Amino acid sequence: MSTPIYQVENFGFHYPQSNYNLKLDGTFIIKQGECVLIQGASGSGKSTLLAALKGLIPHLINGKVSGKILYNNQDITGLNEQQLLDIGYLQQNPDSQLICKDVYSEIAFGLENQGFAATLINEKITKIADDFKLSHLLTRQVSELSGGEKQKINLLAILVMQPQVLLLDEPTAFLDPESAHEIIAMLQQYIKKSTVVIVEHNHYYLQQIVNKVISIDDNGQIKQQNTTQIVWNQVLPNLKSISPHPKSILLELRELNFSYKNSSQLLNKISLSVNSGEVTAITGRNGSGKSSLLKLIAGIIKTQGQIFWKQQDIAEINYQILWSKLTLLWQNPEAHFIYNSVNEELEYNHETLTMFDLVPQCEQNPYSLSEGQKRRLSLAIALNLKPRLILLDEPTFGQDYEHKLQLAQLITELKNRGMSFIMVSHDQDFINALADHKYHLSNGSLKLC
Amino acid sequence: MLEQKLHPLNFIILPLLGIVAIFSATQIIQYAIIFIIMLINFSLLCKRPQLKVLLWFNLSLIPPLLALFISSYLFASSSELSNYSLTNHTHSRLWLSTILSLRLYLLSLISVGFMLHLPQEQLILDLIQRKIIRVKIGYSFLAVFNAFAFMKQEFTRIQIAYKMRFRKKWLSPQILMPLLVAAARYAHHLSISMYTRGINQDRSYHQSIIKFGLYDSGLILLNCVILSIVIFTK
């Protein structure tokens, strides 16, 4: 029988100077060789629990801890930094984990900290890069890598240290589906030797590798579930509807070409037409030009005679008038927050607060809201401007199923009022539930799916 | 190649010598020789100079140089002019203005030229390995160089969001808040990444440092000798 690696009992954590109080009720054990998925709603404390399993609490993140976490039968809070190196920890954002300028130094960083000689470091890096077929990246600068490649390097930099346990905090959150599958394939290769704990909203990537599920409900109750009890591919209901408003062409892209200075052609003869009361979805790999396309449509990047708003070239429309008709929402809702309270952000508009179910949070600081609430608030801010078209960049990023459903229902409601949306997303389920027209951007061309 | 043998600290020591020499020089010929020496140093240290940036920098210097030339020509005091025993007052003024402008130009060009090409990463790694700066501080600096691209991207996003929301072309200090939050989050994730990979003072290094050797000492000594001759020869 395999030995328990972790024993967790009624773990609780209180962040200093915060009202947030995590209290998990229940016990669970993680055994050697298991691949465990921790699931729960946004804000249920999954990431905090994972940080505690790594021993970041209270070593790096201060606060009041209650309950008990035993790692190899030892209290995790009593382990020193060297002992904690047995536990690898991958965060969700591929960019903010990179320390060094080049890939080789990045992978070598952990080994250097363990005091290995240069020759041994070289051997280990060469071997692991060969094993995972990533040798071609070793000579590259990290700034040249795509999001998926960066996350692979982050994972490799941890795996090369041969941790006994691997903790992954939403490793595919920033990635397109192909990159996410590649990361999971890497894990699958590694998983035979080690214990893995994953926090992830995108369950469908994990069905192949997970053999145990721990669920945290809204009240902090911990429940151990069998993999057969899990809905691996939670599909949103079809919310497509025909807007009751008469349709008219709002936006037209006529053979749009675009390239950045000193770069190859990013967008090549893109034609697109968006009607009022319609949802248009655009998919494509990271770096395919989706965000640039949104910037072009929003008039942030100037064009001439290629993008038309109601038959008028947007280059001829005053920016104040154009931005009163269309607006853009970034994937990180915090980029839109300026004021100290939700009320101020929405100019005390009670109707919008009610519509977006933000009345109980109206006095709260926007940065202290949960991920779902932040997304709703950013959409509410956009709606307060009364635009005809909203451009959405990865609207479901960081959202769990419930929040995605809420968001999809809101978009449908707005669509039925005659508003149009263009969304750039990797989330096929969300697109299938909402989009009236689906396009795929690849090699500079936009193709109808 | 010589630039691979030279220590990155030369990027700081050599221009400093040049700056001291400029402050001591009084004649145009001295400035010209100092400039040539610094140019040779620069070409020894730098493999790929950023000529375009340097050209733009030169152009940006024109207005301050002109301003300095005109103001020193118009408002030079007689005590300053008495140092130049030229035939008439106009010539002395011209002479003084030229010298001052040349000094400003060379100081700016030498400082920016060398600093622009300073191999920051190599220098910091060298200082870490010599235990001149602590590992945690050194790697934080290195990570900051990586963070520039991310912060630039984040700033663009926040800027666009602000402009579209308030329909303004100009920014307000209000955008500092989301920018600060983004920076704080980035720093937090980075510190976790360093901690989880066991950053500590007693570590090994996969690349060996360039030693401050004979080439470096020789180059610095040669600079000192030539610059001294230039300055003290009347």
Side-chain angles (χ1 to χ4, degrees), chain A residues 54 59 91 96-97 99-101 104-106 109 112-113 116 319-320 330 334 336 345 367 385, chain B residues 121 146 157 160 164-165 167 169 174 178 181 185 189-190 193 195-198 200 203-204 206:
Chain A
K54 166 62 194 167
H59 289 293
Q91 304 172 73
S96 57
Q97 298 173 71
I99 300 158
C100 301
K101 212 172 174 181
Y104 190 94
S105 303
E106 188 64 36
F109 183 78
E112 290 174 331
N113 290 327
F116 288 109
Y319 71 93
Q320 284 178 319
W330 294 118
E334 288 182 353
H336 299 268
E345 291 287 1
Y367 292 99
L385 304 170
Chain B
E121 200 191 341
N146 280 346
R157 280 195 204 114
I160 292 170
M164 292 190 84
R165 180 172 173 186
R167 289 158 209 167
K169 277 211 161 163
Q174 281 175 311
V181 172
R185 282 203 203 290
H189 292 149
L190 198 67
S193 177
Y195 178 85
T196 53
R197 288 199 267 160
N200 67 78
R203 66 199 301 278
S204 61
H206 76 274

Side-chain angles (χ1 to χ4, degrees), chain A residues 78-131:
Chain A
L79 300 181
N80 64 33
E81 290 176 17
Q82 283 306 308
Q83 288 168 307
L84 289 171
L85 285 183
D86 261 357
I87 308 166
Y89 180 77
L90 182 73
Q91 304 172 73
Q92 53 176 248
N93 189 336
D95 284 290
S96 57
Q97 298 173 71
L98 296 164
I99 300 158
C100 301
K101 212 172 174 181
D102 61 281
V103 171
Y104 190 94
S105 303
E106 188 64 36
I107 302 173
F109 183 78
L111 297 172
E112 290 174 331
N113 290 327
Q114 290 176 308
F116 288 109
T119 45
L120 196 56
I121 290 175
N122 190 34
E123 263 175 42
K124 281 177 179 269
I125 293 177
T126 313
K127 186 178 180 313
I128 200 160
D130 279 345
D131 287 351

Side-chain angles (χ1 to χ4, degrees), chain A residues 163-215:
Chain A
Q164 193 189 2
V165 180
L166 187 59
L167 307 175
L168 308 165
D169 190 1
E170 296 195 46
T172 65
F174 280 75
L175 309 182
D176 56 67
E178 278 136 281
S179 302
H181 280 298
E182 284 162 13
I183 288 284
I184 298 303
M186 275 178 81
L187 282 175
Q188 220 160 355
Q189 201 176 331
Y190 167 79
I191 225 156
K192 294 158 198 159
K193 311 170 201 166
S194 182
T195 308
V196 180
V197 184
I198 311 173
V199 165
E200 181 67 77
H201 288 306
N202 301 327
H203 294 168
Y204 43 89
Y205 293 126
L206 305 171
Q207 191 173 6
Q208 304 281 316
I209 56 173
V210 167
N211 47 35
K212 188 182 200 171
V213 179
I214 289 161
S215 301

Side-chain angles (χ1 to χ4, degrees), chain B residues 45-56:
Chain B
L45 288 172
C46 216
K47 208 164 30 174
R48 268 170 284 171
Q50 298 182 43
L51 293 174
K52 208 171 166 187
V53 182
L54 285 174
L55 180 71
W56 278 110

Side-chain angles (χ1 to χ4, degrees), chain A residues 296-365:
Chain A
L296 285 158
I297 294 172
I300 305 292
I301 302 173
K302 302 288 172 210
T303 55
Q304 203 73 44
Q306 296 179 93
I307 304 176
F308 296 83
W309 177 266
K310 291 193 169 178
Q311 311 297 335
Q312 191 184 0
D313 185 354
I314 61 162
E316 292 164 6
I317 305 175
N318 179 293
Y319 71 93
Q320 284 178 319
I321 297 169
L322 181 70
W323 292 342
S324 67
K325 295 179 189 305
L326 63 88
T327 194
L328 193 157
L329 275 189
W330 294 118
Q331 68 170 23
N332 174 12
E334 288 182 353
H336 299 268
F337 301 158
I338 295 287
Y339 298 109
N340 292 328
S341 73
V342 173
N343 252 336
E344 283 176 274
E345 291 287 1
L346 297 178
E347 294 162 355
Y348 296 87
N349 186 334
H350 196 76
E351 194 193 339
T352 316
L353 276 167
T354 315
M355 183 180 174
F356 285 85
D357 195 17
L358 288 167
V359 176
Q361 290 80 27
C362 65
E363 295 298 330
Q364 254 178 267
N365 188 303

Side-chain angles (χ1 to χ4, degrees), chain A residues 381-414:
Chain A
I381 291 169
L383 194 70
N384 231 14
L385 304 170
K386 301 186 174 58
R388 300 286 314 276
L389 170 67
I390 298 183
L391 311 172
L392 299 167
D393 182 24
E394 294 294 346
T396 59
F397 166 74
Q399 308 286 306
D400 57 26
Y401 177 80
E402 292 303 325
H403 287 130
K404 271 202 278 191
L405 183 61
Q406 265 183 10
L407 190 63
Q409 284 164 341
L410 270 171
I411 290 175
T412 310
E413 198 180 325
L414 294 170

